[in-house]
Amino acid sequence: MVTPPATATAYSNAVFTSNMWDTGPAALASWMSDPPRAMLAQTVTQSIQDNANTAVAFDQVVYDNYQGRNAAGDTWIAPAAGVYLVSAVSNLAWTGAAGAFIGNTLAVVGKGTWAAYEIPSTPSPVRFQLCLSALIPVVAGDGVQLRIYQNSGAAQPTGFITTGCRMSARWIGL
C-alpha cells in the first residue's frame, strides 16, 4: 500500500494529499496531469562576485503552476514533498584570465548540494554555458537554487546569446 504524503500548503492549486488519494482516480489523474513544475529565466544581467557561491536571480517566470519563485527570484520553493527533476543552464560572460575556474551547483537551501559541475577557464573563452540536472528529494517548503562560482579575480556578469540562465523543476514522484 502506498502512503500518500502529508498535506502541503500551496498558493492556489490542489496538492497531492491523503484526501485527494481517497477521492478516487479522477482527482489523482487530474493532479498527475499537472504536478508542481516551474521554468524560470534570467533576462537581466547579474554580477557574479569573485570567490562567492552566488544564487542566480531569475527575473522572469516562464511557467510556475504553484507560484514557487521567491520575491528575490533566486529560490524556487517546492510546494509538495517528493522527488523533483531539477535542470539548469548558466550563461556567464567572461573577461577573466585563464587559470581560474567556473562552477555551477544545484542546491537545496540549508541542506546541501545535489549536482555540481566545474570547468577550468584555460584557454580563456568568452562565455561559459554549463548545464546540470539532478533528481532532488525535498519536503514541502524546501528552496532550490542554481548557484554560480567563479574565481577570476573580479566580478563577472551573467550573459546572453539568445538566452540567459534558466532553471526548471518538475515533481516526479514520492
Side-chain angles (χ1 to χ4, degrees), residues 53 90 100-106 113 115-122 128-132 147-151:
N53 205 12
S90 68
F101 74 92
I102 307 301
N104 283 188
T105 56
L106 287 174
T113 298
Y117 188 86
E118 295 178 348
I119 188 168
S121 63
T122 305
F128 284 93
Q129 288 184 295
L130 305 176
C131 300
L132 63 162
R147 298 175 181 166
I148 299 176
Y149 177 90
Q150 60 87 18
N151 67 345

Side-chain angles (χ1 to χ4, degrees), residues 1-4 21-22:
M1 178 176 180
V2 175
T3 303
W21 184 269
D22 295 336

Side-chain angles (χ1 to χ4, degrees), residues 140-161:
D142 276 351
V144 179
Q145 294 179 329
L146 167 62
R147 298 175 181 166
I148 299 176
Y149 177 90
Q150 60 87 18
N151 67 345
S152 68
Q156 301 291 321
T158 55
F160 304 91
I161 295 176

Side-chain angles (χ1 to χ4, degrees), residues 50 77 128:
D50 180 49
I77 310 297
F128 284 93

